Amino acid sequence: MQNLRHSTSRIAIINIAVGAIIAGATGLFSTQLLAQPAPAPVVKRGEPITLNFTNADIEAVARTMATLTGRNVVVDPRVKGTITLTTDRPVSAAVAYNQFLAMLRLQGYTVVDSAGLDKIVPEADAKLQGGAVFSGDAVGNGQIATQIFKLNFENANNLVPILRPLISPNNTINVNPGNNSLVITDYGDNLRRMAKIIAAMDVSNATEVEVINIKHALAVDLAPLVLRLLDSGGSGGAAPGQADGTFKTTLIAEPRSNALILRAANPARVALAKSLIEKLDQPTAGGPGGNIYVVYLKNADATKLAVTLRAALSGEVRTPTATSAVVASASSGATAGGTTATLGGASSSQPNTGGQIQADAATNSLIISAPEPQYRQLRAVIDKLDARRAQVYVESLIAEVNADKAAEFGIQWQGALGKNGDNNIGLLGTNFSIGGANLIKLATQAATGAVAPSTGLNLGVANQNNGVYVLGFLARFLQTSGDGNILSTPNLLTLDNEEAQIIIAQNVPFVTGQFTNTGAGGSSGAVNPFQTIERKDVGITLKVKPQISENGTVKMSIYQEVSTIQAGTTNSANGPTTNKRSITSNVLVADGSIVVLGGLLQDEYSGNQEKVPGLASIPLLGNLFKSEARSRKKSNLMVFLRPVVVRDAISTENFSTDRYEQMRGAQQQAQPEASSLVPINEAPVLPAAPMATKSAAPTKQP
């Protein structure tokens, strides 16, 4: 063991004490120290010390450091080996402890501070121990700690590939996508470095908003062109499985001031966009005479829009001295290729800026001949009128419930009074016509088969007279009931303020006239008989014209008709009889709400009774002298309507896909049962629809 240096008497005493401790740990004592009979002075905490550990056991050095710093230190049994730790001059206890931590780190071990207890463990297991956790700007010392970095601008997933190589292999970095934060476990000094790197990269990836005034071109024309050029030269997007966190260049046209609003990811992209705009913002190649423009419409009808624009401009340039002839010339008719008119008509004392608007129906475009200032005004109006029109999806529900009940009861009897051979024989009995089966008619025609008893329960008694059986008693019981439930849901999609119609019916013929020849014969008088018929739709008809207001309500002009053929009249000589229920109305209903258009609640009762006066009133026995029939019919008919406003392409696709899958599911459920005897085991099914973009929950039918 080397001799300790004596710079001062106080430091010498401390060095001697430290040397004695080290010698006890390593088994190497200096001969001069052993010769001294006095005990070694005690080292006070906080005093400067000189370290001189050579190939000392890690556990022994750890106990020494615990004595010097006053910390509670425990050593994991897996921590084995020796270390060399020396200093050239006295250092504080804190500096000595940090050097001890650095030496352990080089050996593959580290110290974890857990509730005031320093645990020396292998570095690979340090992240599993209860180390300190910091958030924000606070960081730990040279020990293992965990720090949470909350990002404001950058995507946390984009920083992981950059920071991962800067962290030791035994430590971790994780991402919390919920609040866009990073959780890093590493040494305190490395966490401080990570904090500087993250702070430098967590900045806004977009420049300030730039407003670029356009001098010659139109902003609405330049915006899509420049944006397409910028996007074509951009980055290739994110890697597979990762979100693309790059900022997309935003370029919006402001028609009122004819300017472009630009925001890009960095100044270089801004400079590129400005250079493109400057090169494209040039005067018209034809000079002052190049004042013919072609505007292709996206949604509006060119012919109708041309009439509207001519009317607007003719009113703008009209003066109080303008004549009605000028107005007539400005709104004149259409040609084969479109509609044209000359704009102007001001008095001769004022300059005529003029202009001409022609609609080309083949390409749905407008050809405008006007000076550039006037064209810009027209273009601003065209862009507003050529917007996508909203649509209305109308769901109509027709519900009808019918209940018919009928009951009949009657007793008829006939009998003879007298003996065989008497000159006069009396007849006594009753007969009624309810049910269409009269007792006397049955008695006289039943043997020949010309008539049959009525439906229901028939109880009869026949008497034999002179070898012939004659029907003398007949009792009849009958009860009928019938229920009907009809539900129809015609649906219709139409543009705002456009009438639409759907017809689901049969085209039934009705005879309107006929001619037959029953007179003269012979070839000269032969006439070909004929009939004239008229075909009409019998079924469901729905006509609707919706109009969407600004507050979301829908005003609708509706015509609803439900017609059916009366059962049993199909082959009637006068033609079939139809039942018709129609509603013509104008209603106002909120978007997505259900409104009842109208209906019928009908309850009909009828009764018929035939009886013998007086005798039929006798209790119980009176039923022998009467016949009775009763019927009751109930009809419940209601028509409901539900309009849904569809404002964009995604909503339209969702509606269509929902109904498509509903029909496809019904076809799949209607498949025939498998059979080996009949080789046809499949019914046609709609193909699977492509996945639609769902922005709203599927709309349910009313």
Side-chain angles (χ1 to χ4, degrees):
M1 181 178 181
Q2 299 178 356
N3 294 327
L4 300 176
R5 298 179 180 179
H6 301 272
S7 57
T8 62
S9 60
R10 186 175 183 182
I11 295 176
I13 297 174
I14 297 174
N15 290 340
I16 293 173
V18 174
I21 297 173
I22 296 173
T26 59
L28 299 176
F29 292 90
S30 175
T31 306
Q32 295 178 358
L33 293 176
L34 292 174
Q36 296 178 3
V42 179
V43 180
K44 297 182 180 180
R45 295 176 184 174
E47 296 292 339
I49 57 175
T50 301
L51 302 179
N52 190 13
F53 295 96
T54 303
N55 295 327
D57 185 70
I58 294 178
E59 184 175 0
V61 177
R63 289 199 302 270
T64 303
M65 289 298 169
T67 304
L68 294 176
T69 59
R71 294 174 175 268
N72 297 322
V73 180
V74 295
V75 181
D76 191 281
R78 294 171 294 178
V79 177
K80 303 292 184 180
T82 61
I83 61 174
T84 299
L85 183 61
T86 62
T87 58
D88 295 336
R89 59 180 180 271
V91 296
S92 64
V95 174
Y97 192 70
N98 289 335
Q99 291 183 359
F100 175 62
L101 296 179
M103 186 59 65
L104 288 177
R105 184 173 177 179
L106 295 176
Q107 298 287 340
Y109 305 116
T110 187
V111 177
V112 178
D113 184 6
S114 177
L117 179 65
D118 290 354
K119 296 184 291 185
I120 302 177
V121 296
E123 187 181 72
D125 295 339
K127 58 181 175 292
L128 304 178
Q129 305 296 326
V133 178
F134 303 96
S135 178
D137 297 333
V139 292
N141 51 16
Q143 299 180 1
I144 292 291
T146 300
Q147 187 167 356
I148 301 173
F149 299 92
K150 295 183 179 180
L151 306 182
N152 298 320
F153 304 100
E154 185 60 55
N155 190 347
N157 288 311
N158 296 338
L159 291 183
V160 171
I162 301 174
L163 301 179
R164 176 70 266 184
L166 304 179
I167 300 174
S168 60
N170 292 326
N171 295 321
T172 60
I173 177 173
N174 297 298
V175 175
N176 181 15
N179 59 358
N180 193 36
S181 60
L182 292 171
V183 181
I184 303 177
T185 300
D186 204 356
Y187 291 95
D189 52 353
N190 199 28
L191 289 177
R192 284 189 291 270
R193 183 178 64 155
M194 292 292 173
K196 295 179 180 179
I197 297 175
I198 294 174
M201 303 186 68
D202 185 25
V203 294
S204 177
N205 55 355
T207 61
E208 296 294 332
V209 176
E210 298 276 350
V211 178
I212 305 172
N213 294 320
I214 306 300
K215 299 178 181 179
H216 305 286
L218 287 178
V220 292
D221 293 337
L222 280 184
L225 180 61
V226 175
L227 190 59
R228 184 176 179 182
L229 292 173
L230 292 175
D231 290 342
S232 62
S235 61
Q242 295 183 2
D244 187 6
T246 58
F247 184 83
K248 303 297 182 181
T249 302
T250 303
L251 188 63
I252 303 175
E254 205 285 303
R256 186 184 63 84
S257 59
N258 195 35
L260 292 175
I261 302 174
L262 174 65
R263 190 181 186 190
N266 48 62
R269 300 288 289 178
V270 173
L272 177 61
K274 286 184 177 181
S275 64
L276 290 175
I277 294 171
E278 183 179 358
K279 293 178 182 179
L280 295 174
D281 185 21
Q282 301 296 331
T284 307
N291 57 353
I292 299 178
Y293 307 90
V294 178
V295 181
Y296 293 95
L297 303 181
K298 300 177 182 178
N299 302 286
D301 184 80
T303 305
K304 296 180 180 179
L305 186 57
V307 176
T308 303
L309 294 175
R310 289 196 306 271
L313 282 183
S314 63
E316 179 183 353
V317 301
R318 189 182 310 156
T319 63
T321 60
T323 61
S324 59
V326 176
V327 179
S329 64
S331 57
S332 56
T335 62
T339 307
T340 180
T342 301
L343 303 179
S347 61
S348 58
S349 61
Q350 295 184 359
N352 185 3
T353 57
Q356 191 178 52
I357 300 176
Q358 180 174 337
D360 183 27
T363 59
N364 194 37
S365 60
L366 295 175
I367 303 174
I368 301 175
S369 177
E372 185 175 350
Q374 192 175 38
Y375 169 69
R376 290 186 178 182
Q377 294 179 354
L378 286 172
R379 188 57 187 271
V381 176
I382 292 172
D383 291 337
K384 292 182 179 180
L385 296 179
D386 190 29
R388 179 185 176 93
R389 296 172 61 184
Q391 301 181 92
V392 180
Y393 185 80
V394 181
E395 294 177 318
S396 178
L397 189 148
I398 305 167
E400 183 176 359
V401 179
N402 297 323
D404 298 337
K405 293 183 179 181
E408 296 182 13
F409 168 77
I411 296 177
Q412 304 177 63
W413 52 274
Q414 292 287 335
L417 300 177
K419 296 180 181 180
N420 189 11
D422 293 344
N423 293 330
N424 296 320
I425 298 176
L427 297 175
L428 181 63
T430 61
N431 64 89
F432 306 108
S433 61
I434 294 179
N438 184 269
L439 178 63
I440 298 177
K441 186 177 181 180
L442 287 174
T444 56
Q445 299 180 4
T448 60
V451 68
S454 299
T455 58
L457 177 62
N458 293 277
L459 179 61
V461 177
N463 298 324
Q464 184 180 12
N465 292 323
N466 297 325
V468 178
Y469 287 94
V470 179
L471 183 62
F473 177 83
L474 176 63
R476 179 170 179 266
F477 304 90
L478 175 65
Q479 183 175 352
T480 61
S481 62
D483 296 327
N485 186 3
I486 303 175
L487 179 64
S488 302
T489 57
N491 301 331
L492 194 61
L493 180 66
T494 181
L495 282 173
D496 179 26
N497 211 24
E498 294 288 344
E499 182 176 316
Q501 173 180 328
I502 182 172
I503 299 176
I504 306 171
Q506 291 180 325
N507 200 247
V508 180
F510 292 86
V511 178
T512 58
Q514 61 182 356
F515 175 79
T516 58
N517 183 20
T518 58
S523 60
S524 60
V527 178
N528 186 22
F530 65 89
Q531 286 184 338
T532 59
I533 62 173
E534 179 185 3
R535 291 187 174 270
K536 295 183 179 181
D537 294 329
V538 178
I540 298 176
T541 302
L542 173 62
K543 294 181 182 179
V544 61
K545 183 178 181 181
Q547 184 178 3
I548 305 173
S549 61
E550 289 296 331
N551 58 358
T553 58
V554 183
K555 178 183 178 182
M556 292 183 293
S557 299
I558 302 165
Y559 174 75
Q560 175 82 57
E561 178 183 319
V562 180
S563 57
T564 57
I565 299 177
Q566 182 69 32
T569 63
T570 304
N571 299 322
S572 176
N574 296 325
T577 301
T578 59
N579 301 322
K580 181 179 178 181
R581 307 170 184 90
S582 65
I583 295 176
T584 303
S585 178
N586 295 318
V587 297
L588 189 66
V589 58
D591 178 18
S593 299
I594 300 177
V595 62
V596 57
L597 295 183
L600 173 66
L601 300 179
Q602 184 178 8
D603 194 343
E604 181 181 354
Y605 169 81
S606 63
N608 189 11
Q609 188 180 63
E610 295 180 0
K611 63 181 180 178
V612 177
L615 297 178
S617 300
I618 301 174
L620 189 60
L621 295 177
N623 293 324
L624 299 174
F625 302 96
K626 65 180 179 181
S627 180
E628 187 174 2
R630 298 180 181 179
S631 65
R632 186 175 182 181
K633 181 178 181 181
K634 297 180 65 175
S635 298
N636 296 333
L637 172 65
M638 284 292 170
V639 180
F640 301 90
L641 206 67
R642 178 176 181 250
V644 178
V645 179
V646 183
R647 299 187 181 274
D648 51 25
I650 296 178
S651 300
T652 304
E653 186 178 4
N654 290 341
F655 267 106
S656 302
T657 304
D658 181 66
R659 298 302 183 267
Y660 189 92
E661 293 298 332
Q662 181 181 357
M663 180 58 67
R664 188 168 181 267
Q667 290 182 339
Q668 291 175 342
Q669 294 178 359
Q671 293 294 315
E673 296 182 0
S675 173
S676 58
L677 299 177
V678 183
I680 301 176
N681 295 321
E682 294 182 357
V685 179
L686 290 170
M691 295 300 294
T693 305
K694 301 288 184 181
S695 68
T699 304
K700 299 181 180 179
Q701 293 185 356

